[in-house]
Amino acid sequence: MSGPLVVLVGPMGVGKSTVGQLLAGRLGVGYRDTDDDIVAEQGRSIAEIFVDEGEETFRAIEKRAVHRALAEHEGVLALGGGSILDADSRALLADQRVVYLSMDVDEAVKRTGLNAARPLLAVNPRKQWRELMEARRSLYEAVATAVVTTDGRTPEEVTQAALDALELKEA
């Protein structure tokens, strides 16, 4: 298997970045986040890209970032919440160890709230999050090797659950 040791997917605010960094540390490998790649490459926030150029342009940028990271990175890779919307990206995930970090709507609203940096949740976050998850849940599940629930768990507990689910040994 080539590419990342572990790929994390899931909705915004689920803790992919936090858990990804913890996982990378426990496994003794590097960590990479495609959202960070996009911000560095574009020189502006994801919210600014959405506002200035729209979701379609952002998704094209995101697709390139995901494909590049899957080809280049060998550690733990966190993907943006909507990256699984692209069929080509989902196909590339078929040969990867993918952990879907899941959470329920109440937990999502607690974690994301009315955060202006999350343009897809700008109005009525609870309703919009439910609608996003209705559209995405089956896609997350389709690419997942393992599903780890984050509700009521610390990042350390989620990290351990991911290691256990994938049967990976710490470095």
Side-chain angles (χ1 to χ4, degrees), residues 11-12 50 55 59 81 85 103-106 108-109 112-137 140:
M12 60 189 88
F50 261 86
E55 184 174 2
R59 294 294 174 209
L85 296 171
M103 67 180 168
D104 69 20
V105 67
D106 293 330
V109 170
T112 61
L114 295 169
N115 188 338
R118 304 204 186 271
L120 292 179
L121 296 182
V123 179
N124 193 349
R126 183 179 294 271
K127 177 177 180 276
Q128 289 181 301
W129 191 85
R130 272 199 187 101
E131 289 172 0
L132 281 175
M133 284 308 297
E134 284 173 20
R136 296 178 181 180
R137 183 174 288 108
Y140 289 134

Side-chain angles (χ1 to χ4, degrees), residues 15 22 34 36 39 44 48 68 81 85 88 95 142 148 158 160 169:
L22 288 169
T34 57
D36 293 343
V39 169
R44 56 197 166 139
E48 288 172 311
R68 188 168 44 250
L85 296 171
D88 295 335
D95 296 329
V148 174
V158 172
Q160 187 60 53
K169 303 283 185 235

Side-chain angles (χ1 to χ4, degrees), residues 136-151:
R136 296 178 181 180
R137 183 174 288 108
S138 65
L139 300 176
Y140 289 134
E141 291 170 349
V143 300
T145 307
V147 178
V148 174
T149 303
T150 65
D151 301 331

